[in-house]
Every structure is written in structure tokens, then in C-alpha cells.
Amino acid sequence: MEEQVAYFSMEVAIDPRIPTYSGGLGVLAGDNLRSCADLHVPIMGLTLLSRKGYFFQKLDSEGNQMEEPTNWPIDIMDLLPVKISLPLNSREVAVQPWKYIVKGVNHEVPIFLLDTDLEENDPGDRELTSYLYGGDDRYRLSQEAILGIGGVKILKAMGYKPTRYHINEGHAALSIIEVFKELNDLSEVNKRFVFTTHTPVPAGHDRFPKNLVEEVLRGYLNEEEIDKLCQDELNMTALALENSHYVNGVAKRHGEISRDMFPGYQIDSITNGVHHVFWASKPFRELYDAHMPDWRNNPFSLRYAVSLPSKEIFQAHMKAKKELIDFVNRSKNTGMDYDVFTIGFARRFTRYKRPYLLFTDIERLRRMKIQIVLAGKAHPKDNEGKGEIKNVFKSINDLYPEVKAVFLENYDLNLAKLITSGSDLWVNTPQIPNEASGTSGMKSALNGVPSLSVLDGWWLEGNIENITGWSIGEVSHSEDTKDANDMYDKLERAILPMFYEDRDNWIRIMRHTIALNGSFFNSHRMVQQYVLRAYF
Ligand SMILES: *Cc1c(COP(=O)(O)O)cnc(C)c1O
């Protein structure tokens, strides 16, 4: 039997033109499939079409976030002549897939994006694949049923016979039920499923009340099956844990935390990675091509960055930095300077990421010779996260004119490329232990940009103090005031003096960042680990 993996993810950041992702989870899914395409892994992706995307972010002058539906060119993909239907909320809902091809070096991976906006569907059901993470619990459970159950049915209708199902976060766990209906053998189901959990934050684990499950899935499941599935609620993580032969967290520390959260399950860890060619800026791609042409097929050879000439590393960086500063000045009229030390901070805006930490002491920051570029979206229902954006806007005003800082709207793949490669330092300040992995610092590492980060997620593995960057605070826990002071101390005493007065040493850090972290925290290494430990 030919091996084939079906990879289910509620969000996939496939292409900068396709805004069907909200953050790290989707970017990881995209990078994973890009590496699979390069490495000849027989896999296909399943996700929802999310016709109106996550949302397009606009910000007013006070930092109030307004969310607009995104318009994106769906017809860059092909609508396939296959339909299935499943009963949801006591109606039949037809589902049809679109196909997008991820082109690797010499292999291709298809992604199927499921769509319910079909004439035969009830008007409400036509909206079920419109908004990523939109709507209420019923909307969300319906979406998860379309992805999980609909996804398995679609694959079958197209003639695929996957030997493995990889569920990227619990959203697609209902696929287990559909596969069980087919095989009618729990141990066979178990052998086929691989589950990756992505967050220690409880709100990231979906649970649905039993009465809602009854309303949405009646017609698909009978009463007895519903009773078996949930006592008083349906817990997607529990369903996935219970029925997968391989479960992993996304960094070593996250594996440990997940084992504590879910005692009794064997949980491994595979540390996340990012796609090296996708995330390296053009100047760095050219630099690597010139000195280690093998790096595209074999990112491990980035370790030879130890012998890259200093001058060329810094020249490549200044080109990438110029792109960013020009973009900032063009779009925000900020008058930023190529030669001023530039801090990058961009990620989802939500309380645990502590975006306020950088701005704890405005007076102290004002005395530093720096400029700051920020970006990030808050989930439409995350009022705290939206408040964080407003607070940052206020800090940006307070810093002016001594320190120029800017918040760029609508953080997406393109902006992420620009900011992670064009900053001099990547700052990351989440509350321990909430950052499962974090991946944006890996993107900057591929561009020779070191991190100043809390010791959580991947940075526990990536930080070699004063060699690949710097740590903030303690390993065990976070404390706002202490962490902020530590961060400022390192900036004032180590980082800024090295950047301005000891450039050779600064470039040494850049070189080690590439050689030690770029060579390891990439999705080729990650996919190889999934293949060896989980897939085949
Ligand atoms: C990489 C990326 C993220 C994830 O960044 P983290 O550091 O893991 O929070 C989120 N959004 C976009 C657009 C990205 O490119």
C-alpha cells in the first residue's frame, strides 16, 4: 500500500495572496507543507476556504482596531468537480473543494480548501466557510465538522486512501469519527492518527457543550454515539489524544508542559521550524547562494555560515533593513534612519504576549538610540488584546520625538518577511510558560537577526547567551517589573554598545545566529522528524 498523509489544519498560510490564517499555527502549517513539497513527502493539506479570510486590520489614530472582510482572488485556485454532503444542524450541507498546489523543488503537494458557498445550500450554511475563527460556538463546531468529517469524505470521494491523518491542533479531531465509521476498529484508527497540540493556554483547546453537539451533529451521529463521544461536553483535545498513536508538543518545554497538562498520555516533542528559502530575504538568499549553494536543498549547510565574510553579512543586512525602513517611511512618514538600531516586535496581540513590557519605562527608553517597528492583529473578540494595541499607540506618542516608533497595519506574511529580516533585533516577551514555541524569532535568525527574548518556547533551545542573542528574566517564571528591567539593562549595557561601538562583535552574533539557529530551526529538519517518528 502506498503511504500517504492527510494533513488537517483549520488555517494554512499558503501564499501571501491567500489570507486564510490568523498567526503562528497557520504559518507553521504552510511552512510544513512547503518543506514536504521540497522533500518529496507524500502528503496533502486539508483546510477551509475561509472565503472572507481572517480579517483585514485597519487602525485609527488611537489604535482602535477595525476589522474588514478580506477580498482575495479565489480563482487563482481550481474548483474541483467533486461534492460531498454531510448533515449539520439538521440540514444537508454540500461541500466542494478548491485545489491549490504547493510547488516544491521537484515535487508538488496539493491543498484542498473546503467551500460550502454552493447554490444548493441554505443561505446560512453558505457562510460556514467564510470567516476563519468567526461567529459563535455553533458556527465554530459546524466549521470543525466540515473540516474533520467533510475533509475525510472529500478525500474518499476523490479516491485518496490516506494511511496517516495528521491533525494540526484539535480543530480537526472529528475526522477521527469519520475514519472510525469507515474502519470500525479503534486500534486501526489509532495507528493512523498523529496529533500535534499547539498551546498551553486553556482557551486554545476547544470544548463544546453536549446539547450543542446534539443539535449540530444529530443526523450524523445517533444518541448512543453522542453519549460515547461526550459526557457533558465534547473536548477536541481529549478526542485527539485518546485516538492518536503519536502525539507531540512543538518545543521541548512545551512537550513537558503538555505531559503535565494531560497526564497518562505519551507526548513527545518536535520543535517547530520555518521554511528557510521562504523566510530568507532576497539579499540573504543571494549571499547564501554565493557561498553555500547547497543551502536550498539542505538547510543544515547553513552551519557553514561561520565562514561568511563579515562585510558581506552586514551588507546583506543593510539591504534588508533598507527595504523595511523605506517601507515604514513611505507608508507612515516616520523619517526613520538606516543607521539607527531598529527593534522589531510583531505577533498576534493578546495579553500573554505582553506587548506592554517593552514600554514599561518610557523615560528610560527615550534615552536609548533606537527606533521600533511593531505590528500585529488582535482577535476580533479579544478586547484585552485590542486594548494592548491602544496602549502601544499611546506609548508610541509618548516616545516621540526622541524615539521613533511605528505600528504597521494588517500584519501578514509579507509584513512578517519585511520586519523579521529588516530589524536589527527581534524582541519577544511572552508570559512563561504560555509560548508553546514561537516562530518569528526563527525567521529573523535565518536573516542573521538575533533575538532578545524571554526563556520560553523555542528560545530555551535557541539561546546561547551573547552568541545567538540574549535572554530576558528567569527560566522558571515571568515577573513584569523584573523582566522589563532585565531587558533594559541588556539593551543599555550589552546590546546597544556592541551594535554602535563594536561592530565586528555584532556581526559575530549575526553569523552565529545563522549558523547555529538558521541551520536547525527550519521546517526541513522538523518535517524529517515527523516523517521518522510519526508518519512512516
Ligand atoms: C510567523 C508569524 C506569526 C507567528 O509569530 P510568533 O512569534 O510565533 O508569535 C504570526 N503571524 C504572522 C503573519 C507570521 O508570519
Side-chain angles (χ1 to χ4, degrees), residues 228-497:
K228 245 204 218 149
L229 187 62
C230 37
Q231 305 239 293
D232 35 60
E233 63 173 17
L234 168 60
N235 181 327
M236 300 300 268
T237 302
L239 176 62
L241 284 169
E242 196 58 47
N243 294 289
S244 302
H245 84 278
Y246 179 86
V247 179
N248 72 294
V250 291
K252 285 193 196 319
R253 159 75 75 91
H254 180 233
E256 287 162 21
I257 290 165
S258 302
R259 288 191 283 277
D260 287 345
M261 281 173 82
F262 311 113
Y265 294 100
Q266 269 207 335
I267 304 179
D268 195 12
S269 66
I270 292 182
T271 303
N272 280 344
V274 298
H275 192 276
H276 56 298
V277 182
F278 189 82
W279 289 105
S281 62
K282 187 159 174 276
F284 274 90
R285 290 198 303 268
E286 287 169 358
L287 178 69
Y288 300 152
D289 282 340
H291 291 274
M292 29 199 193
D294 185 34
W295 78 288
R296 286 176 184 261
N297 288 325
N298 177 18
F300 301 108
S301 66
L302 285 168
R303 70 194 301 276
Y304 301 114
V306 282
S307 58
L308 285 175
S310 296
K311 219 175 105 197
E312 292 183 39
I313 294 179
F314 207 71
Q315 273 171 354
H317 174 64
M318 285 308 287
K319 279 189 202 162
K321 185 172 179 182
K322 183 171 182 302
E323 287 267 324
L324 173 65
I325 302 297
D326 286 348
F327 179 83
V328 166
N329 289 343
R330 264 200 324 271
S331 52
K332 297 281 168 189
N333 191 26
T334 325
M336 283 195 179
D337 191 319
Y338 299 139
D339 294 320
V340 172
F341 185 79
T342 302
I343 290 175
F345 184 103
R347 47 191 44 87
R348 283 185 304 116
F349 265 61
T350 185
R351 179 89 187 167
Y352 89 78
K353 298 269 195 180
R354 297 196 298 178
Y356 56 86
L357 202 82
L358 182 58
F359 303 101
T360 305
D361 188 341
I362 295 286
E363 285 312 311
R364 201 166 163 188
L365 261 188
R366 226 188 234 144
R367 291 192 294 271
M368 298 183 201
K369 196 175 160 194
I370 57 173
Q371 49 199 16
I372 309 171
V373 180
L374 301 115
K377 295 176 178 177
H379 185 278
K381 289 193 181 136
D382 181 0
N383 288 324
E384 253 180 8
K386 289 183 176 179
E388 296 296 343
I389 299 180
K390 291 184 71 170
N391 289 340
V392 167
F393 263 63
K394 190 169 173 308
S395 300
I396 289 174
N397 279 329
D398 294 345
L399 283 170
Y400 193 80
E402 286 87 351
V403 167
K404 290 168 182 159
V406 63
F407 198 109
L408 300 173
E409 281 169 300
N410 201 45
Y411 189 43
D412 65 2
L413 288 178
N414 286 333
L415 257 192
K417 282 190 192 187
L418 208 53
I419 308 175
T420 55
S421 63
S423 305
D424 293 304
L425 181 72
W426 194 250
V427 169
N428 182 37
T429 53
Q431 171 99 39
I432 291 174
N434 289 339
E435 182 88 321
S437 166
T439 51
S440 51
M442 303 174 183
K443 301 168 192 168
S444 65
L446 280 162
N447 292 284
V449 175
S451 285
L452 169 61
S453 170
V454 161
L455 287 165
D456 201 12
W458 83 282
W459 193 236
L460 277 165
E461 298 163 55
N463 174 52
I464 306 175
E465 191 72 9
N466 208 30
I467 290 183
T468 58
W470 298 268
S471 63
I472 298 171
E474 300 186 24
V475 181
S476 49
H477 68 286
S478 302
E479 210 178 306
D480 284 0
T481 314
K482 266 186 150 173
D483 290 355
N485 278 328
D486 195 28
M487 172 176 64
Y488 290 140
D489 285 348
K490 287 203 173 156
L491 278 167
E492 288 169 344
R493 292 175 198 164
I495 299 171
L496 291 167

Side-chain angles (χ1 to χ4, degrees), residues 153-222:
K153 283 176 181 276
I154 286 274
L155 289 177
K156 195 173 175 191
M158 289 188 295
Y160 287 104
K161 295 190 177 74
T163 46
R164 290 272 187 265
Y165 295 84
H166 184 170
I167 43 186
N168 190 41
E169 197 48 286
H171 309 129
L174 290 172
S175 54
I176 290 165
I177 310 215
E178 178 62 20
V179 173
F180 177 71
K181 284 195 171 206
E182 212 172 286
L183 299 176
N184 216 356
D185 179 342
L186 272 181
S187 77
E188 272 304 312
V189 170
N190 198 276
K191 271 186 221 159
R192 289 175 197 231
F193 275 85
V194 171
F195 171 48
T196 303
T197 174
H198 281 268
T199 178
V201 181
H205 297 265
D206 278 334
R207 293 145 173 254
F208 300 100
K210 184 171 181 181
N211 61 346
L212 182 69
V213 177
E214 279 168 342
E215 286 172 28
V216 174
L217 295 181
R218 187 170 30 220
Y220 176 70
L221 295 175
N222 63 34

Side-chain angles (χ1 to χ4, degrees), residues 37-107:
D38 288 341
L39 294 170
H40 257 277
V41 177
I43 197 169
M44 59 227 145
L46 268 297
T47 188
L48 297 189
L49 179 65
S50 300
R51 195 175 267 275
K52 290 172 187 162
Y54 181 46
F55 64 86
F56 188 90
Q57 180 194 49
K58 288 212 172 144
L59 297 165
D60 71 10
S61 59
E62 287 169 8
N64 292 299
Q65 173 175 291
M66 287 150 298
E67 296 116 22
E68 297 182 356
T70 50
N71 293 305
W72 58 278
I74 291 166
D75 51 19
I76 58 177
M77 302 182 299
D78 296 323
L79 183 63
L80 299 182
V82 186
K83 271 186 201 175
I84 57 101
S85 91
L86 72 160
L88 278 183
N89 303 293
S90 306
R91 288 183 297 275
E92 278 298 312
V93 178
V95 184
Q96 193 169 5
W98 295 75
K99 180 175 172 177
Y100 179 94
I101 302 267
V102 182
K103 293 196 172 68
V105 178
N106 40 26
H107 177 69

